[in-house]
Amino acid sequence: MTHPTTGEPTGTEATMFDVAAERVAGGADAAVEAAAIVAAMTAEEQRWCLDGDHPFWADLSEMGQGGYHQRTFPAARVARLGVPGFAFSDGPRGVVIGPATAFPVTMARGATWDVDLEERIGEAIGVELRAIGATLFGGVCVNVLRHPAWGRAQETYGEDPVHVGEMGAAITRGVQRHAMACVKHFAANSMENTRFSVDVTIDEVALHEVYLPHFRRIVDEGVASVMSAYNAVNGEWCGQSRTLLHDILREQWGFEGFVISDWIFGLRDAGASVRAGLDVEMPYRMIRAFGLEDDLAAGECTTDEIATAATRVVATLLRFHPVLTQPRPPIDVLAQPAHRALAREAAAKAIVLLRNEPVDGTPVLPLDAASLRSVAVVGRLAAVRNLGDGGSSDVWAPSVVTPLDGLRAALPDADVVHAEDDASIAAGAQVAVVVVGYTKADEGEFIGDSGTAHLVALMPAADEPEVVAAYEATRAAEEHVFLPPADAGGRDGFGFAKGGDRRSLRLRDEDEALIAAVAAANPRTVVCLVAGSAVLTGSWDRTVPALVQSWYAGMEGGHALADVLLGLAEPSGRLPFSVPTDPAHLPDFDPDAVEATYDGAHGYGKLAADGHVPAHPFGFGLSYTDLSLLGIGAVQHGDEIVATTTAVNAGKRAGVEVVQAYASVGDAPAKLVGFIRVELDPGERKVVEVRFPLARLARWDPEVHGWAAVTGPVQVALARHAGDPAATAVPVHLDAPG
Ligand code: BGC
C-alpha cells in the first residue's frame, strides 16, 4: 500500500480509499466510489472534509513570518479511511514553498503566446510542487485583464478570453501530469484594493462572452479544482453564489472537480456556501468549523448537501490517484538547471520589442557584442531582485540574475558600469540601458486596509486544542525547514508588500526624468520596462530609439534580457493587452469602488469600437527580421474554420511570427479566435494554418440563456496584431450546425 499523502509505500492494510482507487483505475465511476466512502464517514468526518485542516490562529501567526513559504495547506484528510486529502501550494510564477524556480510572471508568459512552452512550465511546476509535498497547485490565474491598473494584472495572461484560455489550459495540462491544478478566481475578479467588498454588476452576455469563456476552456481541459473569487457578482459573494458554482459551473459546464474558497474571507456564511456549491473553505478551520453545525440545525443547508460536497472532493482524489501516487521527486529538483533554462527561455520569448529606430542608419538593437566595449546600465531596477508582487504569488527563488548581472555575464570583455540615478555615466558609453518600472510596492496583491474590519467577526475566538496538537505534531515532523533567500525582499524588504491597484499608468516621475537625462547623454538609449501590464510611455518614448517591455522576468531574467538585446535570442514576445494612448480610452476603473458595472467592452474591442488607435496594439511586437503574411484563405470544415496564409521571413535573421486569427460578424469589432506561433528561418516562407472552433463565434442569447450559433457571413482575417492594417479579411459563409 502507498502512503496517502506522500505516495510512498507503507506496507499496511489497504484502506477503503485504496480499494476504491483501484476500482476507479479499473474503470469504476469515481463519484459512486466516493459516495460510498463518504457514507462510511461520521458526520464530523464529512464536515472535516469541508475546510482546511490547520488551526486558524496558530497558522495565521506563522503566515506573516514566512510560514506561507514553508509548508503546504492541507485539507480534507480522513486518515481512518485512507482519504489523503490535498495539500495546497500557490503560484502562478512557480511553487511558493521552498527555494523553487521563479518563472517570469504569468503576464510575461502570456506575451510568449507559446502554449507548448507554457505546458512545459506547467510540468516543471508540477514536479517541484510534488517535491515539496504539495498535491494542488493554486496558480492557474486567468481573470481577464479588464483594465491595466489591476494590481494583480501580472498574475494573469492578458486581456483576451481565447488567448488567456489557451495559455491557462496549457499550464493545466502540464501541471496535471504530476499533480492537481486549481483555476482561479471564479469570477470577474479584476479589481484588487476592494476585492473583499466590491460587487460587480454584469449582464449575462458580458459574463458569458468575456468573463467566463477561459474558465470554461480550462474546465474542459479537466482541471481538478476551481477557486472562487472574493468579490461579489450581481449581489452574491462568489464563494456562495449558486448561480456561478452550481448553475453555470456544474449544470451548464459539467464540472466534476471540487471548488475551494479564496483565503480566509472568501465566504461569509457556512451553510449558504455549502448550499451554493462551495466544497472546501480554505485554508483554515474557521467559518464552517465553528458555524456549520448551527447552520445545519437552522436548515440553511442539509446533511445531503454536506455529503455531496465531501463526495466531490473524494471523487477528484480518486480520479487523480494514479497521478498523485507517482514516486515523489527529490527536493533537489527545485530550481534545477533544466528548470532555470526553461525560465530563461520563457523570459527571452516574453520580451516585447516596442520600438527599434535607427541611429546612424542602423536600428539600435540588436547590440553587437563583438564591438561593444562600454555599456552604461542605469535605473533603480537594474541591479535588484524584482520578481513581481509581494503577495500570495511570491516565490523564494534561491538566486536571481538581475539585468546588470545578465549583461555583465554576456559581455565579459566590456566595461559595464551601473548607477541607479546618475545619468552622466551614460555619456561616454557606446550604449545606455535604462531599467525602470515597478516593484511589489507599486502593484500586486493588496496587503493593506481593505475595509475588512467588519469581517474580523468571522474569525474564531480560539483554535480547537486537538487541531492545534495535530498541527504541532506535523510541524515537528517536517522534512525540510525552508529559509528565505538572503535577499528575499529585494529593495522593498522581506515578505508582503502593500502592492494593490495602480493609480497611474505612467512611470514614476523620477523614472521619466532619468530617461530624459540618459537620452540626452546618449543617443543609443534602450529603455527596458519592468511591469505587470501596460505602461503609458507616449510622453517620452520618441526621445529614445529603443524600447522593450521586459516584465518581472523571473530568476533568469537578466540572462534573457542580455540574450535578446545582444541578438542571441529573437524578440518574439507580442503584447497580451492593448496599450492606449490615453487612459480615458479604457473602461472606468476606480480602485476604491465597492460597486462596479462591467459591460462587454474592454481591451482592443473597445478601442476599435470607439475609434481609438492604440499606442501599441494587442498582439503587437517588433522583430529583428523582416516578417510579413502573404494572402489568406478560410473555409469551414465541420465545426471548425481553417484559415491559411503564408508567413514570410524576408530578412537575414531567424524570426518568430505569432499569426493571429480575428473574426467579426456584422458590425461587431473583430475578436481573436485563434493563434499560432511560427518559427521562420532567414528567407523562409511557410504555409500556416490556424484552426478554431465555430463555437468561438457563438453569441450568448439572453432570451434563451444559452449560446446561439452564428450562421451566414463571417469575416476572417489572419493578422500580426489586432487592427493590423496589412491584414485582409475574407468572408466565410457558415452553414447551420449539422
Ligand atoms: C489570493 C489567492 C491565493 C490565496 C492563497 C489569496 O489571498 O487571492 O490568489 O491563491 O490567497 O495564497
Side-chain angles (χ1 to χ4, degrees):
M1 274 307 101
T2 54
H3 186 282
T5 313
T6 62
E8 281 144 19
T10 60
T12 53
E13 285 299 294
T15 63
M16 190 174 184
F17 183 89
D18 288 325
V19 173
E22 207 159 301
R23 276 206 291 262
V24 171
D29 184 326
V32 171
E33 295 296 325
I37 294 173
V38 171
M41 290 181 185
T42 64
E44 200 183 347
E45 284 170 339
Q46 290 186 0
R47 288 197 302 275
W48 178 262
C49 291
L50 267 51
D51 57 19
D53 292 357
H54 279 175
F56 179 85
W57 292 107
D59 198 298
L60 190 68
S61 64
E62 296 272 321
M63 196 176 324
Q65 315 299 317
Y68 184 74
H69 299 280
Q70 283 156 338
R71 62 195 61 89
T72 62
F73 291 93
R77 179 161 189 234
V78 181
R80 184 177 69 86
L81 301 171
V83 177
F86 58 86
F88 179 101
S89 168
D90 221 310
R93 60 181 190 251
V95 172
V96 304
I97 296 171
T101 308
F103 290 96
V105 294
T106 319
M107 189 63 86
R109 292 171 2 230
T112 70
W113 297 64
D114 190 337
V115 286
D116 163 66
L117 171 64
E118 191 59 9
E119 188 169 334
R120 286 186 284 133
I121 289 174
E123 286 220 42
I125 288 175
V127 167
E128 294 196 8
L129 189 88
R130 296 289 292 119
I132 53 96
T135 52
L136 179 62
F137 176 60
V140 184
C141 178
V142 294
N143 298 104
V144 290
L145 184 71
R146 177 175 173 274
H147 191 287
W150 179 35
R152 296 181 72 175
Q154 63 187 270
E155 288 189 59
T156 189
Y157 293 99
E159 73 180 33
D160 179 85
V162 166
H163 168 255
V164 167
E166 289 307 309
M167 297 301 284
I171 194 172
T172 301
R173 275 196 302 281
V175 167
Q176 292 201 157
R177 296 212 175 90
H178 304 279
M180 298 183 290
C182 176
V183 64
K184 67 189 186 184
H185 312 80
F186 190 65
N189 181 175
S190 43
M191 297 170 59
E192 182 55 13
N193 293 17
T194 56
R195 59 180 164 161
F196 299 113
S197 45
V198 67
D199 180 15
V200 177
T201 301
I202 185 165
D203 65 78
E204 230 181 290
V205 175
L207 184 66
H208 285 275
E209 291 188 1
V210 179
Y211 291 95
L212 295 185
H214 35 294
F215 282 101
R216 170 84 196 254
R217 172 71 186 84
I218 292 157
V219 164
D220 288 347
E221 193 65 50
V223 76
S225 174
V226 171
M227 182 190 290
S228 55
Y230 285 127
N231 53 281
V233 168
N234 295 333
E236 285 181 309
W237 297 113
C238 291
Q240 42 199 65
S241 163
R242 196 165 163 83
T243 312
L244 286 173
L245 304 183
H246 177 267
D247 302 351
I248 295 177
L249 188 60
R250 297 207 171 88
E251 293 288 299
Q252 289 177 22
W253 299 356
F255 176 61
E256 292 186 335
F258 59 92
V259 179
I260 64 176
S261 74
D262 203 343
W263 261 224
I264 300 180
F265 296 133
L267 63 144
R268 313 289 162 108
D269 307 289
S273 69
V274 172
R275 174 150 293 171
L278 177 80
D279 299 317
V280 186
E281 173 188 0
M282 287 298 281
Y284 296 133
R285 301 277 297 160
M286 191 178 149
I287 298 172
R288 288 178 171 180
F290 295 90
L292 193 52
E293 268 192 277
D294 286 351
D295 284 5
L296 189 59
E300 283 169 31
C301 69
T302 62
T303 50
D304 279 357
E305 286 164 339
I306 290 175
T308 300
T311 302
R312 286 192 287 244
V313 178
V314 176
T316 311
L317 297 174
L318 288 171
R319 281 186 207 109
F320 276 83
H321 190 254
V323 172
L324 297 175
T325 47
Q326 295 173 103
R328 188 167 152 190
I331 199 71
D332 55 13
V333 298
L334 296 184
Q336 63 176 320
H339 293 178
R340 285 168 181 253
L342 199 54
R344 180 172 180 164
E345 178 186 345
K349 285 182 167 171
I351 290 175
V352 185
L353 180 62
L354 292 171
R355 185 172 164 81
N356 191 18
E357 293 297 308
V359 175
D360 298 335
T362 317
V364 166
L365 297 174
L367 305 171
D368 176 27
S371 62
L372 263 190
R373 289 291 165 268
S374 61
V375 180
V377 182
V378 194
R380 281 182 312 118
L381 307 181
V384 290
R385 180 184 176 106
N386 190 20
L387 297 174
D389 87 333
S392 58
S393 71
D394 194 7
V395 171
W396 271 1
S399 61
V400 174
V401 181
T402 67
L404 181 65
D405 296 335
L407 286 164
R408 284 201 168 136
L411 296 167
D413 300 326
D415 184 21
V416 182
V417 293
H418 167 243
E420 284 211 351
D421 53 12
D422 179 5
S424 72
I425 66 158
Q430 283 169 282
V431 65
V433 177
V434 187
V435 185
V436 284
Y438 308 122
T439 71
K440 64 179 184 175
D442 302 303
E443 60 177 356
E445 191 164 347
F446 184 55
I447 315 286
D449 177 7
S450 305
T452 48
H454 64 291
L455 296 179
V456 169
L458 297 171
M459 297 174 173
D463 290 333
E464 302 142 294
E466 64 284 8
V467 175
V468 176
Y471 171 68
E472 280 168 1
T474 35
R475 288 213 44 199
E478 266 164 16
E479 293 164 82
H480 304 284
V481 177
F482 298 120
L483 297 173
D487 61 345
R491 68 181 313 129
D492 302 313
F494 170 69
F496 295 133
K498 191 162 178 229
D501 298 312
R502 272 197 269 151
R503 302 262 166 189
S504 162
L505 298 181
R506 293 176 58 161
L507 292 176
R508 295 172 178 211
D509 291 346
E510 61 267 34
D511 281 348
E512 292 196 355
L514 183 69
I515 292 166
V518 174
N522 192 318
R524 292 175 196 274
T525 293
V526 180
V527 175
C528 305
L529 291 175
V530 181
S533 72
V535 180
L536 267 55
T537 59
S539 61
W540 54 265
D541 58 18
R542 280 166 209 282
T543 65
V544 295
L547 174 64
V548 300
Q549 178 116 11
S550 54
W551 316 103
Y552 301 106
M555 67 188 296
E556 297 289 319
H559 286 320
L561 183 67
D563 289 342
V564 171
L565 296 186
L566 298 170
L568 305 170
E570 293 304 303
S572 59
R574 301 290 186 268
L575 287 176
F577 45 71
S578 320
V579 183
T581 54
D582 184 335
H585 299 166
L586 294 164
D588 290 341
F589 185 85
D590 172 5
D592 304 316
V594 293
E595 284 178 4
T597 302
Y598 293 2
D599 58 19
H602 82 298
Y604 62 86
K606 178 171 170 58
L607 292 172
D610 297 346
H612 294 304
V613 176
H616 301 297
F618 171 78
F620 174 78
L622 297 169
S623 165
Y624 292 154
T625 188
D626 179 7
L627 301 171
S628 57
L629 302 178
L630 207 63
I632 171 164
V635 285
Q636 178 180 0
H637 269 322
D639 57 4
E640 274 190 338
I641 290 181
V642 182
T644 317
T645 186
T646 303
V648 180
N649 179 0
K652 294 193 173 57
R653 304 176 60 95
V656 176
E657 188 54 281
V658 177
V659 182
Q660 302 159 38
Y662 292 87
S664 60
V665 180
D667 294 337
K671 58 179 200 161
L672 185 82
V673 281
F675 61 91
I676 191 165
R677 197 174 181 282
V678 197
E679 298 188 356
L680 295 159
D681 289 333
E684 187 176 1
R685 293 170 159 243
K686 213 181 239 178
V687 175
V688 179
E689 211 176 70
V690 184
R691 295 176 164 261
F692 56 90
L694 292 180
R696 289 201 179 143
L697 298 169
R699 301 301 310 260
W700 185 263
D701 182 349
E703 298 289 316
V704 299
H705 310 294
W707 292 104
V710 167
T711 52
V714 171
Q715 297 290 324
V716 177
L718 290 179
R720 301 182 60 208
H721 57 77
D724 182 354
T728 10
V730 288
V732 182
H733 196 91
L734 298 186
D735 302 335

